[in-house]
């Protein structure tokens, strides 16, 4: 689902309708038209820095939201998102005409809009983060609208003064890109990162862009032959697939990867890759087996993100092979749902909802059992808990945020097979607290993959950890504070040591 990229053309409401992956019903269209009429009236006479009528920005924001599969109410809120802030029409007017759900989303955006773009000061960044988090805890759709709004602003940034361009690009890279990443909205993350990169580091941006397009044009004929050969192979081995296609790595990710390899482009094997989309998880592994039997895989390049998903939920099998015609080629194998979630992240949930024709609220209902999206819901709940815990200490909040939310996570397992998600560098004590506060408080040691280990041992991805507890332990040791990484462990250790 490619994100709409129009920048200069005059958009119309029809473009918004057409951006929906599933055509909106006539009642949805009616509501959207109504929102469009109010937004047009409210913004009448206002122009953007580009000289375009302001309503173009509202339509562009709505179009992006529709394009990633958001529900029509969120898209309507996208049309209206700047109304209370920039015009004489109030939130009450919106609430009267569109109801509380839409009004509350717009209220959230207006609150976020009041973030002042002050200079590099630490407290400004902190304040921005806090507001984003509060908004996320209340209604995640608010933040998604904010991301779409920012994406269109980034696409039209050329019309602003140079100093403003840098400041907004910097804010986008530091705040909006990580949030889009954490929400798993790959398409928006990539587009935001690329547009910020262009203004923050034009030289490297153009160089990376050149490397990418050179590779794409050099390899496109080969890629086509390779895809044909792989399709034939899959058919011969009776592996069902929905799609086999090529993809080019997003520009900013490519830049980071080249940097990671000391500037050596030849060591980056996934500038282009072949993606195989199959119906179910079993077919993923079957397809991998067939590929590996036909083409020799490169040592150490097989990654199973299905069993061990990335922290933002990303799932796929990755392998690098000596592919057709002996050329090195990265292959990514995933189900359709994994594919949608990789591109759309949390937004895919609204799309799936729409497909099932149910209300989005069902997913936020805690009574709902066996919820395939419970990961996200649990995450939103944790977020709120965590805001409560850290709310009083702004510096700690900021630190906690960096570690818990932004750093790469690892996954370890309890002996029963429950997955515990931890930030990189977390210790056995962090693991214990992540299971339960009482287990953290009474931990005395651990068995990692069957071997005894001390509490300060750093946890690695995929380990099975059994915590040894001692009920007679009075309280956690304050020396643990020197090596624990998670906010939850820190606050618990302090709390236990304060209470006597
Ligand atoms: Mn806006």
């Amino acid at each position: 689902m490619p994100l709409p990229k129009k920048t200069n053309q005059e958009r119309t409401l029809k473009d918004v309708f057409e951006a929906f992956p599933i055509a909106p019903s006539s009642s949805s269209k009616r509501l959207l038209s109504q929102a469009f009429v109010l937004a047009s009236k409210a913004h009448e006479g206002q122009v953007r820095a580009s000289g375009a009528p302001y309503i173009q920005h509202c339509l562009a924001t709505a179009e992006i939201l529709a394009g990633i599969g958001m529900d029509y109410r969120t898209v309507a809120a996208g049309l209206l998102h700047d109304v209370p802030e920039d015009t004489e029409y109030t939130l009450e007017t919106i609430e009267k005409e569109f109801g509380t759900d839409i009004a509350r989303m717009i209220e959230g955006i207006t609150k976020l809009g009041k973030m002042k773009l002050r200079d590099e000061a630490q407290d400004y960044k902190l304040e921005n983060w806090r507001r984003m988090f509060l908004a996320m805890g209340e209604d995640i759709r608010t933040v998604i609208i904010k991301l779409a709004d920012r994406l269109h602003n980034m696409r039209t940034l050329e019309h602003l003064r140079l100093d403003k361009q840098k400041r907004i690009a910097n804010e986008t890279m530091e705040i909006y890109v990580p949030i889009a990443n954490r929400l798993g909205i790959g398409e928006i993350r990539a587009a935001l990162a690329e547009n910020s990169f262009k203004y923050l580091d034009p030289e490297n941006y153009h160089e990376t862009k050149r490397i990418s397009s050179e590779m794409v044009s050099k390899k496109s004929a080969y890629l086509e032959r390779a895809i044909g050969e792989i399709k034939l192979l899959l058919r011969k081995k009776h592996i069902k697939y929905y799609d086999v296609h090529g993809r080019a790595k997003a520009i900013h990710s490519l830049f980071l990867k080249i940097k990671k390899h000391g500037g050596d482009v030849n060591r980056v094997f996934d500038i282009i890759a072949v993606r195989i989309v199959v119906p179910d998880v079993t077919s993923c592994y079957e397809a991998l087996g067939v590929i590996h039997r036909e083409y020799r895989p490169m040592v150490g390049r097989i990654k199973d993100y299905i069993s061990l998903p990335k922290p933002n939920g990303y799932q796929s099998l990755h392998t690098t092979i000596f592919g057709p015609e002996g050329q090195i080629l990265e292959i990514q194998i995933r189900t359709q749902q994994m594919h949608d979630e990789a591109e759309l992240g949390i937004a895919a949930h609204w799309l799936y909802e729409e497909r099932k024709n149910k209300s989005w609220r069902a997913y936020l209902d805690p009574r709902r059992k066996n919820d395939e999206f419970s990961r996200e819901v649990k995450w939103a709940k944790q977020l709120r808990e965590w805001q409560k815990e850290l709310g009083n200490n702004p510096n700690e909040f900021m630190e906690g945020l960096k570690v818990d939310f932004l750093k790469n996570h690892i996954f370890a397992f309890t002996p029963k097979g429950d997955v515990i998600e931890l930030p990189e560098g977390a210790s056995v004590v962090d693991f214990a607290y992540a299971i339960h506060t009482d287990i953290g408080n009474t931990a005395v040691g651990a068995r990692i993959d069957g071997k005894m280990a001390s509490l300060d041992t750093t946890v690695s991805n995929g380990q099975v950890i059994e915590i040894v507890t001692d009920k007679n332990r009075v309280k956690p040791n304050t020396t643990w504070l020197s090596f624990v990484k998670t906010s939850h462990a820190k606050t618990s250790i302090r709390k236990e040591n304060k209470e006597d």
Side-chain angles (χ1 to χ4, degrees):
M1 247 163 283
L3 222 49
K5 279 201 182 77
K6 278 187 246 175
T7 42
N8 299 318
Q9 301 98 314
E10 289 262 300
R11 279 184 184 75
T12 62
L13 189 59
K14 196 166 159 262
D15 292 313
V16 177
F17 290 165
E18 284 170 359
F20 282 94
I22 299 164
S25 67
S26 45
S27 65
S28 309
K29 280 186 181 171
R30 228 173 4 252
L31 183 103
L32 289 163
S33 309
Q34 207 182 327
F36 173 70
V37 168
L38 178 64
S40 306
K41 254 198 299 183
H43 291 292
E44 202 178 351
Q46 295 178 349
V47 287
R48 300 266 295 168
S50 64
Y54 201 92
I55 190 70
Q56 286 297 312
H57 168 65
C58 312
L59 286 167
T61 304
E63 193 183 20
I64 292 166
L65 289 166
I68 60 169
M70 294 304 294
D71 63 305
Y72 71 97
R73 290 170 161 281
T74 308
V75 177
L79 283 168
L80 296 164
H81 79 274
D82 279 325
V83 165
E85 195 177 357
D86 296 344
T87 78
E88 55 194 32
Y89 288 79
T90 60
L91 202 61
E92 287 74 57
T93 316
I94 291 174
E95 181 157 7
K96 236 185 262 158
E97 206 172 317
F98 299 96
T100 40
D101 185 39
I102 289 178
R104 236 182 280 138
M105 274 190 262
I106 293 165
E107 186 183 24
I109 297 153
T110 310
K111 274 195 225 154
L112 283 174
K114 294 213 172 94
M115 302 191 298
K116 284 279 173 300
L117 279 173
R118 273 186 278 125
D119 286 320
E120 312 306 318
Q122 183 72 16
D123 67 334
Y124 132 78
K125 247 193 272 174
L126 173 67
E127 193 49 34
N128 272 1
W129 270 116
R130 281 169 80 97
R131 282 178 196 221
M132 281 293 215
F133 273 82
L134 287 174
M136 246 187 254
E138 268 168 37
D139 189 339
I140 200 110
R141 295 175 301 169
T142 303
V143 177
I144 299 173
I145 296 168
K146 197 69 195 163
L147 290 172
D149 170 49
R150 176 51 62 104
L151 178 54
H152 183 247
N153 286 337
M154 288 306 297
R155 284 180 172 158
T156 51
L157 203 60
E158 60 192 276
H159 304 289
L160 298 189
R161 278 203 327 260
L162 260 174
D163 58 325
K164 262 194 156 182
Q165 288 179 354
K166 290 256 178 201
R167 209 164 50 189
I168 294 172
N170 191 44
E171 186 193 52
T172 303
M173 197 64 111
E174 287 200 5
I175 294 172
Y176 290 80
V177 170
I179 286 180
N181 182 50
R182 196 62 175 84
L183 298 181
I185 313 177
E187 282 201 56
I188 287 194
R189 181 195 54 78
L192 284 171
E194 177 166 349
N195 280 288
S196 314
F197 184 34
K198 188 159 82 185
Y199 292 95
L200 293 173
D201 188 355
E203 216 171 292
N204 279 317
Y205 167 77
H206 289 296
E207 173 62 8
T208 313
K209 194 95 176 156
R210 188 192 59 76
I211 291 169
S212 171
S213 37
E214 210 178 87
M215 185 63 104
V216 169
S217 61
K218 204 173 91 186
K219 290 269 189 173
S220 68
Y222 166 72
L223 210 57
E224 216 165 290
R225 293 195 303 274
I227 288 169
E229 196 177 307
I230 288 166
K231 280 183 177 171
L232 203 66
L233 174 71
L234 293 173
R235 277 202 295 271
K236 220 170 67 191
K237 304 286 179 187
H238 309 290
I239 309 281
K240 254 195 225 150
Y241 60 84
Y242 289 150
D243 192 22
V244 180
H245 63 266
R247 81 98 181 89
K249 197 172 184 68
I251 295 301
H252 189 246
S253 312
L254 176 58
F255 170 69
L256 294 178
K257 191 104 176 222
I258 295 172
K259 213 165 90 175
K260 195 173 123 192
H261 289 290
D264 187 355
V265 181
N266 298 317
R267 285 171 60 202
V268 180
F269 299 119
D270 64 341
I271 300 178
I272 53 160
V274 167
R275 243 178 223 156
I276 303 173
V277 183
V278 296
D280 51 53
V281 174
T282 310
S283 324
C284 290
Y285 290 99
E286 283 171 358
L288 183 74
V290 164
I291 296 278
H292 278 175
R293 248 175 294 156
E294 185 76 15
Y295 310 106
R296 189 158 57 87
M298 254 170 107
V299 175
R301 300 269 321 164
I302 306 159
K303 283 171 220 143
D304 183 350
Y305 296 121
I306 293 179
S307 303
L308 293 171
K310 285 192 185 181
N312 64 3
Y314 176 84
Q315 289 189 299
S316 277
L317 299 174
H318 288 193
T319 182
T320 308
I321 53 166
F322 296 92
E325 301 166 32
Q327 295 200 37
I328 293 174
L329 186 61
E330 175 164 307
I331 309 275
Q332 305 175 345
I333 307 166
R334 47 174 72 165
T335 65
Q336 184 66 49
Q337 183 167 345
M338 290 171 196
H339 182 62
D340 290 339
E341 293 206 1
E343 310 261 295
L344 309 175
I346 198 162
H349 305 172
W350 280 275
L351 180 60
Y352 277 76
E353 275 300 87
E354 188 62 26
R355 282 195 187 137
K356 284 190 236 150
N357 208 12
K358 275 189 210 148
S359 150
W360 64 273
R361 285 185 184 281
Y363 283 116
L364 298 180
D365 184 348
R367 287 161 304 184
R368 202 186 141 108
K369 289 255 165 71
N370 200 8
D371 185 348
E372 68 207 87
F373 300 135
S374 60
R375 243 181 88 81
E376 266 72 20
V377 178
K378 201 178 115 208
W379 174 71
K381 226 177 90 189
Q382 272 172 355
L383 192 73
R384 252 177 308 222
E385 287 299 310
W386 180 60
Q387 281 165 349
K388 263 190 263 159
E389 272 183 22
L390 295 176
N392 302 328
N393 184 339
N395 285 329
E396 187 153 353
F397 181 83
M398 192 67 182
E399 275 315 301
L401 208 85
K402 278 192 203 141
V403 175
D404 290 354
F405 186 74
L406 297 175
K407 269 195 87 177
N408 286 333
H409 281 213
I410 49 172
F411 296 89
F413 302 93
T414 68
K416 283 186 196 153
D418 290 330
V419 183
I420 303 290
E421 195 180 339
L422 292 165
E424 241 167 14
S427 64
V428 167
V429 171
D430 291 295
F431 180 87
Y433 275 107
I435 301 173
H436 196 280
T437 310
D438 291 339
I439 295 187
N441 286 339
T442 55
V444 288
R447 263 185 289 276
I448 300 182
D449 295 331
K451 288 194 201 100
M452 286 306 294
S454 62
L455 290 170
D456 60 351
T457 310
T458 303
V459 177
S460 305
N461 225 351
Q463 285 177 333
V464 177
I465 302 176
E466 186 188 347
I467 299 293
V468 183
T469 56
D470 178 357
K471 292 265 174 307
N472 298 320
R473 179 169 200 130
V474 185
K475 61 188 177 190
N477 200 327
T478 47
T479 58
W480 294 355
L481 289 168
S482 66
F483 59 78
V484 294
K485 291 284 182 292
T486 54
S487 317
H488 177 57
K490 277 183 206 166
T491 35
S492 305
I493 295 165
R494 288 210 190 101
K495 197 174 153 227
E496 287 301 312
N497 280 285
K498 231 188 275 170
E499 278 177 355
D500 49 271

